[in-house]
Amino acid sequence: MSEHKSVFEISEGSIAFGGNQALDSVSFSMVKGQLIGLIGPNGSGKTTLLNATSGIYPLNSGAISFEGNRIEKESPHRIARAGVARTFQIARIFPHMTAVENMLAPGFTVRDKETENRVSLIRRAKEYLDFLDIADFADEQAADLSGGQRMLLQFARALMLKPRLMLLDEPFGGIHPLLVERILERIRDLRDQGIDFIVVSHDLPTIMGLASRIVVLANGKVIADGTPEIVREDPGVIEAYLGV
Ligand SMILES: Nc1ncnc2c1ncn2[C@@H]1O[C@H](COP(=O)(O)OP(=O)(O)O)[C@@H](O)[C@H]1O
Ligand SMILES: [Mg+2]
């Protein structure tokens, strides 16, 4: 493959829930090194696109590829193992487990059977908690963490998969500005290490500052796709946001 290796591609992806066309023939592809901000009004299909990519709701038609391999019919577990990790809009953590136990929960962790035993896995979990600056909470019940800390925990846990593509659903929603800054810094750090991101956000100033490219959904369709500067001025995007 060329230098412009495709990391992610969705091609004519559609999903309907009953009569509601949540994704309507969505197509775009992403090359390595891009950081896509996925935006659009409430209900425009952003989470559905992440759900389709992570295997939670399969497409009714169309295709999704990760690093050139078709994944639209794969299970969430296989997609995660293949290197696609995600976080959820409302942190899906186990409240009655400690932070570190959440990190080790089956299905969220890939263990290299050759080289990793439980001790080294715990060490890796603690490194990621430290990377997100929540190592002090390692042995706290997840139920006792703030909303922002839960988001950081989800983010740390996603790293247990050693992902090459991370899908973040509203990582800045309703959390303290200092934690938003921390998440932004960590996304940039990971990007420097070669991890690609698709970040869903309705926080336009934040996502416009982070992403190299913005894809805009409205009513399940891509209505704009370009640099933040171009998308910001797009009349169709402004109209979609004003709900005209
Ligand atoms: N599991 C589901 N069952 C039924 N309808 C759904 C489901 N998930 C999403 N939808 C519908 O699909 C549309 C897109 O939703 P969603 O992807 O969550 O939007 P966004 O994340 O952009 O706010 C909405 O109309 C929503 O009500
Ligand atoms: Mg959503």
Side-chain angles (χ1 to χ4, degrees):
M1 271 211 215
S2 74
E3 279 181 29
H4 300 289
K5 201 170 150 192
S6 166
V7 177
F8 168 83
E9 178 163 20
I10 179 165
S11 151
E12 294 180 35
S14 295
I15 299 185
F17 295 108
N20 180 2
Q21 197 68 46
L23 286 185
D24 190 356
S25 200
V26 167
S27 300
F28 66 91
S29 69
M30 169 186 186
V31 294
K32 255 206 112 35
Q34 279 181 335
L35 194 156
I36 291 189
L38 184 62
I39 69 169
N42 237 336
S44 57
K46 305 179 297 295
T47 295
T48 301
L49 193 147
L50 298 196
N51 285 342
T53 305
S54 51
I56 294 172
Y57 289 117
L59 294 177
N60 299 137
S61 60
I64 300 177
S65 302
F66 170 59
E67 295 179 340
N69 300 310
R70 299 277 291 267
I71 58 167
E72 76 277 0
K73 292 191 168 64
E74 299 285 3
S75 67
H77 182 66
R78 286 181 65 113
I79 293 170
R81 286 194 74 90
V84 182
R86 73 169 291 182
T87 63
F88 293 87
Q89 205 163 344
I90 296 171
R92 291 197 183 176
I93 43 131
F94 302 106
H96 302 300
M97 287 165 46
T98 66
V100 80
E101 285 165 354
N102 268 276
M103 297 289 287
L104 301 172
F108 291 97
T109 298
V110 170
R111 181 159 72 103
D112 184 343
K113 289 210 168 52
E114 314 277 278
T115 60
E116 278 191 309
N117 56 29
R118 183 149 177 99
V119 171
S120 53
L121 203 62
I122 292 172
R123 191 182 317 125
R124 189 151 69 86
K126 290 195 168 162
E127 275 170 27
Y128 298 146
L129 290 173
D130 193 38
F131 178 64
L132 272 310
D133 286 333
I134 48 171
D136 288 352
F137 303 105
D139 298 317
E140 302 258 328
Q141 295 280 301
D144 296 335
L145 302 180
S146 73
Q149 289 163 342
R150 288 176 196 204
M151 186 55 77
L152 294 169
L153 175 58
Q154 270 204 108
F155 194 134
R157 185 175 60 186
L159 295 173
M160 293 302 286
L161 294 168
K162 297 186 177 171
R164 294 186 301 288
L165 175 63
M166 293 186 82
L167 313 171
L168 308 183
D169 200 353
E170 303 283 6
F172 318 119
I175 72 176
H176 192 282
L178 285 173
L179 297 190
V180 170
E181 277 313 310
R182 189 184 299 170
I183 291 175
L184 288 170
E185 279 172 27
R186 292 307 173 256
I187 292 173
R188 293 190 173 108
D189 290 340
L190 292 167
R191 209 187 162 196
D192 290 345
Q193 295 169 26
I195 297 179
D196 292 298
F197 285 87
I198 298 178
V199 181
V200 168
S201 180
H202 61 251
D203 178 343
L204 295 189
T206 301
I207 195 68
M208 295 273 183
L210 175 70
S212 58
R213 173 176 164 202
I214 301 282
V215 174
V216 190
L217 289 178
N219 298 316
K221 291 190 173 70
V222 175
I223 60 160
D225 179 350
T227 62
E229 294 70 31
I230 286 175
V231 163
R232 198 182 278 132
E233 305 295 327
D234 187 295
V237 173
I238 295 165
E239 190 182 300
Y241 268 93
L242 294 177
V244 178

